[in-house]
Every structure is written in C-alpha cells, then in structure tokens.
C-alpha cells in the first residue's frame, strides 16, 4: 500500500469512527455499504469484530435488536446476514452478544436494588420505559430521577471489580434469623411488607417495635464485625460532627463522631458500603473507621448539629418552592458566605487534592449538581449536590476566583489559590452556560509537577539522552506533539527547568500560563487586547531572547514566525496536535511552511501519551484477551519472559486498578537522511522507517517496554495507543 492509499484509508477509518459516534442507528447503517465493511475488515486496522464491539458500546439493546433485522442494503440484505456471510461472526455469536447485553442491563438493575437505592416497583417501571424508548437502563433511571449518576457509577464499579455484596435486607434478615428474634414465617412476612413499602428492613422492624434498636444494633455488630453506636446516647463534639458539610452528611446518611490524628470515626446507616467509605476517605484524606447507626438516629443527629439546615429534610413541593423564594429574597450573598456552602467548597477541593485529581467538574443535572474528579485522566462521579444550593455553590467558587457572579450567560475564566496543609495550590476556573445552569471546571495546578525533571517523565534512557542533548542546542525547533491532555506542557516545562541557567534569556508565550517558572519571563496570550501568539512572538524577537516557548502553533502566521526564529539563532519549543511524530511535518506543510525550512529548522519531534500505572498495592499477574494481544502485534506464542500484570482494584486506587500516570514517547531526531527525505517530499512511511533505522522507537514499542516492566497493562496501552475504549 503506497502513502496516498494509506492516508486515504486512515481518513476513511476516521470518518467511519466519527459516523459510529455521532449518527443514529439507521443513519449509520445507510451510510456504509457491504463493500466498505469488507474493506474495513481486510485493509488492516479495524476488523469486523471490532466494528461489532463499537456498535455494542454505542447502541442500546433495542437499537441493536432492530439493527440486526433492518434491511439496510440493496437486495433486502440485513446486517445480521451480511456479518455472517462476511465471516464477522456466526449467528449464534450475534445472539450471544444481544443476550449478554440484556444480562448486563439486568445485573445493573439488580445491583441498584441490592444496594437499597432502587425499589422493585421503580425497577419494573424503568424497564418498561426502557422498552418504550430503547435507551440504556442507566439513562432511563437518571431521566426518571430514581437514582443519581454517582449511584449508577458505584454499582457499575462494584460489578466491574467482581464485588457481589449481599443485600442489606438479606444481611439484616440473617441476623434476625440467627439470633432467634423472629421465626421464618414472620421474617418472610416482614421482608415482603418492608419491600412493598420501600422501607429498610432494620428500620421497619425497629419502628414496628418487634426488636429494640440496641438489641438489633448489638446483634448486627457481632455478626458484621462493625461497632454499633446509639447516637441518642453518644456524646459528639460539635467540631467533630461538622467535619463533613451538612449536604454531604445528608446525602451519604453519615455523621462523624470522633477524629483522632488521621483516623475518622463515622456513624453510617450501612457500614458495609465500601464505595461510601472510599468516597469519605477521598474527601477527608483520613482513614475511615465505620460505625453502625440507624438511619433515623443519623438524621436526628444531623438536625441537631445543623439546626438551620433545610437540605435533605422532608418538605412538600410548595414548601420547597417557598424556601427557595425566601432564599432569593434574602439575597444570594448571605447564602454564598454561609458556613455550609463554604465548607462544601473546601471539602470538594480538598477531596480532589487528596485523590490526586487534576480537575473538578461541577455539572448541573435535571434534579441536582453532579461533582466529578478527573483522576489519572479518567472522570469519576464523587457526589451529587442538591439543586437548592447549586447556585450558591457555583457563586462561591466564582467569588473566590474574582469572577462576576451576576454574569451567567457568558463563559468566564478566573483563578484563585488555596492553602491545603503546607502547600498552596493554584486553581484555574472556567464556566460555561448550559440549559440547566452554569457548568464549572476547576483545574488543579499541583506545584509538585513544576519541578519534574526529564527523567521523571518516563523517558527511556536512550530517548532521554537524545532529548537532553538537543535541548542544549543553540538554535532550532523542538516540537512536542500529542492530543489534549497528553502532558505536552509538563514536558516543555521539564525541558526549560533543565536549561534554566543565568546566562540565557528565556521567554514563554502561553494560553494560559499554568505555572510560574522561576527566572523565566512568561507572557499570557489575550485576544481581547490583540496579544495573539503571532503578535507577541514578533515583539519577543526584538527583546534579545535566547530561548522561546510558544505554547501552541495554531495558524500559518505563528508557524512562519516560529520557524524563522528557530533558524535565526533562537531555540524554540512548541507543540502541535498530531497523532504521531512524523505527522507534525505534514501539519507544518499544511500551514504553508516550506519543506526546506522544516528540514533546516526542526531538531526533533517528541510524540507522547500518558498511560495509567498499575496500582502496586493490588498488582496481579493475568492473561490478557487474545484480541488485545493481536492489536498490539502478538500473533503467535507469547515469550516465556513476558508476564502481564494488572491492578485487581483496592481502596488505595479507588478500585480502578491504576494509580498515577507515566509518559510513553517516540522521539524522531532529524538526521541528515531524514532532512533529505523531508526536502524531497518523501512519504511519511519512508520518513518513519528512516527514523526507526536510525535507532528511533515507536510509541507502541515504548509502551510495550513499560508493559514488560509491569509498569502499565496491555489494556491501558490498547486504550491509549490503539484508541480502543
């Protein structure tokens, strides 16, 4: 396959993936032909099995069932018939796929019922609605308001880690049975009646005075191995009780009872709920010691320590509306400065820092505000906040960032700093108006990342030696490429730290400035004052500068000035968004940079990604799926010395199996041979082959070195490098 054919095919693959992600079932089906499907299977990257997996991930059960029987091609052919004829799958395999998704839907519903967040009646109603709409069960449940996004995420996470917790009602039933508190007939009747009324079995039998709260509490304590506390008799210091904001205590149905060093005792309605314990540990940074307490007692205790609170108390719709109206009449400022909202903001930020998150997302939903943390590049639901304090919560953050709280219909940017422990963290804030309210994202800038050296980024020894030598060049251009969030800025900062010597004048042009670098002059791009990359770059070149960092080449003008600066005595660091190193050359050509200038100015192109590291606390050996190994180039027997590892999932990594990230790199150094190929308009494949011959290493090759060292897993490499989700 020549270069033009390869480029055309890759373009077709990209378009096909876009179609899969954005079009409806029937639109997608009509947009491709039988011949295109066969070409996709035979020409390389995307096999028929992968195509089916994409369909399975993007379409609902109802849509899949319809698609298999829909006549989408000429001659009345159905998708099922085409896939079987083309060897993508057998008819039995297709039926198994649909059955497997139906089972997965059923498991999610059962998991939510088991956790006590969904009643049987609600599940039945949701399943009927799912049959009508064809939507995923999770989406139906969210639309009906039966569950929150976090509750769905918790149930899914527990299922993914193989945890199959016994239903709370079943655990309580075991205690009642084994302690002879009721007979089997009574127990069956009580279970049926409690489920019919949608009540917790333990609370139900206490309310019916069948057993006393202390008798059942002590029995459950002995059976579950968790201390019982009677909150009506327990003395709790007010400062301890308020270690969690009121809203969190009500949402989780918990209340802190005592804090000793880094250990926090918390009374919980369900002390066996691992995800709640994980979340509280993440939010507080403490080891959580769970205590069993009854739900009604916890609510009474919360009301006692937060006597003026309204969140979570039962009230009619008319009362709730009047309450919100009163708040508005009193003025937003007073509510924004209230202790509960202030504490809630502090808890959310501190929790993100304890969890080593990079971003906090505050996203308005129909009935609440969803809070999510981005940890190691992935978003996780942390909590939901009642809609009644959505506005004051957002406003509190905007006040801290010195933003206009009255402006809610236009995007805004701001920043503030917060002292957490002995470290000061900078926060970059961005708001976006949505149909449900303002969406707010907080970027956490960890000062520890500022002083990373090149070796700490994950560069192999040979790649480190290449880059370390090149960054000390007197002039030329070093390009760092990769998608958004791949660590390009961190790499550039690490390089500048390596060469930040008193004899050089160094200037950076950034949008935005993420960290303040000691001894370096940093300039913020601001289109409102005409301070664009190109205009600032022109001015900087009149400032007797030795080394330049241009945050990103976005247009032809910036590209032309940056390239010319690199051939007139300046060392220029900059970035481009490309999939691979050699693609940066094509991007520069598309920006009208002459090939002879590219060949004469570029010193090296560093392409990178970030992969999650296996959690060392729960690392285990395993055998990956064959399809993943095939994607990564293993077609025969696996070498004996190659032992694959993954994280099983534990409290230390929040049951993800990963903790922390590292970089994977491919470094394309511009040798004389490669410069000649660039000047001669050689295909990308020839340039890449020359780079490999000169000792270069591809992104996949570097990733597999880290797999062999059990730093990361093959699944993570497939997700990051091979773009498998």
């Amino acid at each position: 396959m020549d270069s033009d054919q390869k480029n055309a095919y890759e373009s077709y693959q990209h378009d096909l993936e876009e179609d899969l992600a954005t079009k409806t079932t029937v639109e997608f089906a009509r947009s491709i032909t039988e011949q295109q499907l066969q070409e996709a299977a035979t020409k390389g990257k995307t096999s028929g099995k992968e195509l089916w997996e994409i369909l399975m991930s993007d379409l609902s059960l109802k849509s899949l069932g319809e698609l298999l029987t829909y006549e989408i091609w000429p001659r009345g052919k159905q998708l099922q018939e085409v896939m079987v004829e083309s060897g993508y799958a057998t008819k039995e395999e297709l039926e198994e796929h649909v059955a497997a998704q139906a089972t997965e839907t059923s498991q999610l519903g059962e998991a939510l019922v088991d956790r006590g967040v969904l009643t049987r009646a609600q599940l039945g109603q949701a399943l009927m609605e799912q049959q009508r709409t064809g939507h995923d069960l999770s989406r139906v449940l969210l639309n009906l308001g039966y569950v929150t996004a976090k509750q769905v995420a918790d149930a899914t996470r527990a299922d993914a880690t193989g945890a199959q917790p016994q239903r709370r009602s079943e655990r309580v039933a075991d205690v009642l049975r084994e302690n002879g508190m009721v007979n089997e007939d009574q127990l069956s009747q009580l279970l049926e009646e409690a489920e019919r009324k949608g009540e917790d079995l333990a609370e139900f039998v206490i309310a019916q005075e069948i057993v006393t709260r202390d008798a059942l509490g002590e029995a459950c304590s002995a059976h579950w191995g968790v201390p019982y506390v009677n909150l009506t008799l327990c003395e709790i210091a007010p400062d301890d009780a308020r270690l969690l904001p009121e809203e969190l205590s009500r949402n989780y149905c918990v209340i802190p009872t005592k804090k000793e060093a880094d250990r926090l005792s918390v009374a919980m309605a369900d002390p066996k709920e691992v995800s709640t314990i994980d979340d509280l540990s993440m939010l507080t940074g403490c080891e959580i010691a769970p205590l069993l307490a009854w739900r009604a007692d916890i609510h009474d205790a919360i009301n006692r320590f937060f006597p003026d609170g309204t969140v979570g108390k039962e009230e009619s719709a008319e009362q709730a509306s009047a309450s919100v109206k009163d708040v508005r009449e009193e003025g937003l400022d007073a509510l924004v400065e209230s202790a509960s909202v202030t504490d809630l903001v502090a808890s959310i930020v501190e929790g993100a820092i304890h969890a080593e998150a990079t971003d906090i997302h505050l996203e308005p939903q129909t009935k609440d505000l969803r809070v999510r943390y981005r940890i190691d590049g992935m978003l996780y639901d942390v909590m939901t906040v009642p809609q009644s304090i959505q506005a004051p919560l957002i406003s509190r953050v905007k006040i801290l960032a010195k933003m206009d709280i009255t402006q809610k219909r236009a995007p805004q940017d701001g920043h503030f700093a917060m002292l957490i422990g002995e470290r000061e963290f900078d926060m970059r804030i961005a708001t976006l108006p949505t149909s449900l309210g303002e969406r707010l994202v907080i970027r956490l800038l960890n000062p520890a990342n500022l002083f990373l050296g090149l070796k700490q980024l994950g560069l192999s020894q040979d790649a480190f030696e290449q880059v370390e030598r090149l960054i000390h060049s007197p002039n030329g251009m070093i390009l760092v490429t990769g998608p958004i969030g791949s660590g390009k800025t961190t790499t550039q900062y690490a390089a500048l730290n390596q060469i930040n010597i008193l004899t050089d004048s160094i200037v950076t042009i950034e949008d935005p400035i993420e960290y303040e670098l000691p001894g370096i002059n940093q300039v913020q791009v601001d289109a409102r004052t005409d301070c664009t990359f190109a205009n600032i770059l022109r001015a900087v070149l009149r400032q007797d500068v030795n080394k330049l960092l241009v945050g990103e080449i976005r247009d032809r003008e910036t590209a032309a000035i940056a390239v010319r600066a690199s051939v007139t005595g300046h060392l220029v660091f900059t970035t481009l968004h490309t999939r691979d190193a050699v693609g940066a050359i094509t991007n520069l050509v598309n920006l009208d940079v002459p090939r002879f200038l590219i060949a004469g100015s570029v010193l090296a192109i560093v392409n990178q990604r970030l992969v999650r590291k296996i959690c060392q606390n729960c690392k285990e050996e395993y055998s990956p799926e064959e399809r993943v190994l095939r994607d990564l180039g293993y077609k025969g027997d696996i070498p004996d010395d190659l032992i694959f590892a993954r994280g099983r999932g534990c409290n230390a990594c929040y049951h993800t199996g990963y903790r922390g990230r590292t970089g994977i790199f491919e470094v394309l150094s511009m040798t004389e041979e490669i410069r000649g190929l660039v000047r001669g308009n050689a295909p990308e494949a020839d340039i890449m082959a020359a780079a490999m011959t000169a000792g270069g290493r591809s992104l996949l090759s570097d990733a597999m070195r880290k797999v062999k060292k059990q730093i990361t897993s093959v699944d993570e490499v497939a997700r990051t490098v091979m773009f498998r989700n």
Side-chain angles (χ1 to χ4, degrees):
M1 183 186 299
D2 62 27
S3 178
D4 290 341
Q5 290 174 322
K6 181 180 179 183
N7 290 340
Y9 176 64
E10 288 180 350
S11 175
Y12 155 72
Q13 291 291 353
H14 175 75
D15 292 342
L16 181 59
E17 290 171 6
E18 289 293 318
D19 285 345
L20 287 169
T22 59
K23 292 188 177 182
T24 64
T25 306
V26 176
E27 285 174 337
F28 161 69
R30 287 172 173 166
S31 71
I32 57 176
T33 66
E34 180 179 351
Q35 181 181 357
Q36 284 175 314
L37 271 178
Q38 291 170 338
E39 288 174 357
T42 57
K43 282 191 176 179
K45 206 168 181 180
T46 304
S47 70
K49 287 282 182 87
E50 288 176 350
L51 182 63
W52 174 252
E53 287 157 9
I54 294 172
L55 286 173
M56 288 295 293
S57 67
D58 283 351
L59 302 179
S60 68
L61 177 63
K62 181 179 179 182
S63 298
L64 281 166
E66 290 176 351
L67 183 60
L68 284 175
T69 58
Y70 198 85
E71 295 184 355
I72 55 177
W73 281 291
R75 305 185 306 281
K77 281 203 171 185
Q78 299 171 352
L79 176 62
Q80 177 174 329
E81 183 181 352
V82 172
M83 294 182 77
V84 171
E85 286 181 1
S86 303
Y88 295 152
T90 65
K91 187 175 181 179
E92 291 74 19
E93 285 176 329
L94 296 181
E95 291 172 352
E96 286 177 11
H97 278 307
V98 176
Q101 192 176 51
T103 301
E104 187 176 332
T105 296
S106 173
Q107 288 173 343
L108 173 62
E110 290 298 325
L112 290 166
V113 171
D114 290 348
R115 288 168 169 265
V117 299
L118 192 69
T119 66
R120 287 281 173 193
Q122 289 174 324
L123 177 58
Q125 211 167 355
L127 289 171
M128 286 192 292
E129 181 69 7
Q130 185 198 23
Q131 184 66 27
R132 185 183 71 81
T133 63
H135 293 159
D136 290 336
L137 180 61
S138 58
R139 172 51 56 193
V140 172
L141 292 169
L142 291 169
N143 289 344
L144 292 173
Y146 290 162
V147 298
T148 66
K150 182 184 181 312
Q151 288 169 331
V152 173
D154 285 345
T156 305
R157 181 173 67 179
D159 182 63
T161 56
Q164 298 294 333
Q166 187 183 24
R167 291 178 60 187
R168 175 180 161 83
S169 59
E170 292 174 353
R171 298 200 305 268
V172 173
D174 288 344
V175 173
L176 292 170
R177 182 187 298 109
E178 291 180 15
N179 286 273
M181 295 177 170
V182 294
N183 58 42
E184 283 296 334
D185 291 340
Q186 286 178 303
L187 186 56
S188 298
Q189 187 176 352
L190 290 169
L191 279 167
E192 183 179 342
E193 194 169 351
E195 186 164 335
R196 180 174 56 81
K197 293 184 176 181
E199 295 184 20
D200 177 80
L201 178 62
E203 307 283 348
F204 182 72
V205 296
I206 291 172
Q208 296 295 316
E209 298 183 350
I210 295 171
V211 294
T212 65
R213 58 173 16 93
D214 286 345
L216 184 56
E218 294 296 343
C220 288
S221 173
H223 196 268
W224 299 343
V226 178
Y228 163 71
V229 58
N230 185 337
L231 292 179
T232 62
L233 304 176
C234 177
E235 291 187 9
I236 306 174
D239 288 345
D240 288 336
R242 297 189 181 107
L243 285 170
L244 287 175
E246 177 189 2
E247 291 76 17
L248 265 70
S249 293
R250 291 190 187 280
N251 285 348
Y252 285 97
C253 194
V254 300
I255 190 164
T257 60
K258 190 173 184 180
K259 186 175 187 296
E260 296 176 316
D262 291 332
R263 182 182 175 87
L264 182 64
S265 298
V266 180
M268 307 172 60
D270 189 354
K272 305 296 283 186
E273 186 62 74
V274 176
S275 65
T276 298
I277 296 172
D278 287 347
D279 291 343
L280 293 177
S281 177
M282 180 191 295
L283 288 166
T284 62
C286 296
E287 177 191 352
I288 302 300
L291 306 172
L292 169 65
W294 302 123
R295 191 178 300 274
D297 294 344
I298 292 174
H299 282 307
D300 289 344
I302 294 172
N303 292 337
R304 188 164 73 249
F305 290 106
F306 298 98
D308 298 327
T310 58
V311 179
K313 294 181 182 178
E314 293 187 9
E315 53 184 357
S316 67
E318 293 80 5
Q319 289 173 322
S321 177
S323 174
V324 172
K325 183 180 178 183
D326 290 342
V327 166
R328 287 175 178 163
E329 289 176 352
E330 290 171 5
L332 188 62
D333 289 346
L335 185 56
V336 165
E337 296 301 330
S338 69
S340 60
V341 173
T342 302
D343 291 345
L344 181 57
V345 171
S347 290
I348 290 172
V349 173
E350 289 182 22
I353 290 170
H354 288 311
E356 299 179 358
T358 55
D359 301 87
I360 304 169
H361 289 235
L362 305 179
E363 302 171 339
Q365 307 294 300
T366 305
K367 296 186 178 182
D368 50 40
L369 180 75
R370 178 168 64 168
V371 180
R372 298 201 287 175
Y373 290 167
R374 187 176 292 281
I375 304 172
D376 295 335
M378 308 291 281
L379 277 171
Y380 298 97
D381 288 85
V382 176
M383 69 180 84
T384 54
V385 175
Q387 195 178 48
S388 58
I389 62 168
Q390 174 179 324
L393 178 63
I394 297 292
S395 295
R396 174 62 183 166
V397 177
K398 291 170 71 174
I399 286 173
L400 289 171
K402 296 181 173 59
M403 299 160 73
D404 184 356
I405 66 170
T406 64
Q407 177 56 271
K408 300 181 180 179
R409 297 185 179 181
Q412 293 188 68
D413 295 314
H415 70 275
F416 67 92
M418 182 178 287
L419 192 66
I420 307 294
E422 297 180 354
R423 288 192 298 172
E424 186 176 64
F425 287 82
D426 288 324
M427 319 280 170
R428 198 170 73 228
I429 317 300
T431 67
L432 183 71
T434 73
S435 60
L436 298 176
E438 282 187 287
R439 181 179 188 269
L440 189 145
V441 175
I442 304 174
R443 167 63 59 88
L444 301 172
L445 303 177
N446 187 345
N449 293 338
L450 178 59
F451 302 104
L452 285 175
L454 286 173
K455 281 190 174 180
Q456 294 171 281
L457 300 178
L459 283 162
S460 61
Q461 185 60 33
D462 52 350
F464 167 76
E465 289 173 357
Q466 285 184 67
V467 175
E468 209 271 341
R469 174 176 51 82
L470 291 167
I471 64 175
H472 287 91
S473 302
N475 54 60
M477 177 181 286
I478 296 176
L479 283 161
V480 184
T481 69
I484 293 174
S486 59
K488 298 187 297 295
T489 300
T490 301
T491 298
Q492 291 187 107
Y493 279 1
L496 287 180
N497 275 326
Q498 202 95 350
I499 61 174
N500 183 13
I501 57 176
L502 298 177
T503 56
D504 279 339
S505 171
I506 303 175
V507 174
T508 73
I509 308 170
E510 304 175 66
D511 183 22
I513 296 172
E514 293 199 3
Y515 297 100
E516 292 184 5
L517 300 169
I520 291 177
N521 305 284
Q522 296 173 268
V523 184
Q524 170 73 54
V525 170
D526 187 353
R528 293 170 297 183
T529 59
D530 207 27
C531 286
T532 62
F533 276 109
N535 289 342
I536 297 172
L537 188 50
R538 282 196 195 90
V540 167
L541 294 179
R542 297 191 292 269
Q543 290 280 314
D544 187 29
V545 172
N546 299 110
K547 294 176 172 61
L548 274 167
L549 185 153
V550 181
E552 181 184 347
I553 292 180
R554 299 177 179 174
D555 52 54
R556 289 172 171 80
E557 191 176 15
T558 305
I561 300 171
V563 169
R564 292 197 177 276
S566 68
V567 296
T568 55
H570 304 84
L571 180 63
V572 179
F573 296 88
T574 190
T575 69
L576 281 171
H577 293 291
T578 62
R579 290 181 61 176
D580 52 24
V582 73
I585 297 171
T586 303
N587 271 27
L588 289 176
V589 171
N590 292 336
L591 290 171
D592 295 335
V593 179
R595 284 185 171 272
F596 75 90
L597 275 180
I598 298 173
S601 63
V602 175
L603 297 174
I605 303 168
V606 180
N607 184 42
Q608 68 178 78
R609 300 289 188 277
L610 289 175
V611 294
R612 293 179 293 172
K613 296 193 293 185
I614 298 170
C615 174
Q616 297 302 304
N617 191 58
C618 60
K619 185 170 73 172
E620 64 178 10
E621 296 176 1
Y622 83 119
S623 298
E625 296 181 31
E626 287 187 11
R627 63 178 179 83
V628 178
L629 294 175
R630 283 199 307 271
D631 286 346
L632 298 178
Y634 290 97
K635 298 179 181 178
D637 295 334
I638 305 300
D640 293 336
D641 61 342
L642 180 53
I643 301 174
F644 298 103
R646 67 178 176 185
R648 184 176 59 258
C650 64
N651 291 341
C653 61
Y654 307 113
H655 299 281
T656 64
Y658 299 95
R659 188 165 189 181
R661 288 190 292 177
T662 188
I664 53 175
F665 301 86
E666 64 179 8
V667 181
L668 191 158
S669 293
M670 296 290 282
T671 63
E672 285 305 316
E673 180 186 0
I674 293 176
R675 293 184 198 280
L677 291 171
V678 172
R679 283 192 291 265
N681 196 16
E684 288 185 0
D686 291 352
I687 296 174
M688 198 62 194
M692 296 299 102
T693 303
R697 190 177 295 275
S698 69
L699 202 66
L700 178 58
S701 176
D702 190 49
M704 291 309 297
R705 289 176 75 175
K706 290 181 170 59
V707 168
K708 291 174 182 177
K709 293 180 179 179
Q710 297 190 350
I711 296 172
T712 191
S713 69
V714 290
D715 293 304
E716 179 67 1
V717 172
R719 183 187 72 84
T720 308
V721 181
M722 307 304 293
F723 308 102
R724 177 191 293 281
N725 292 314

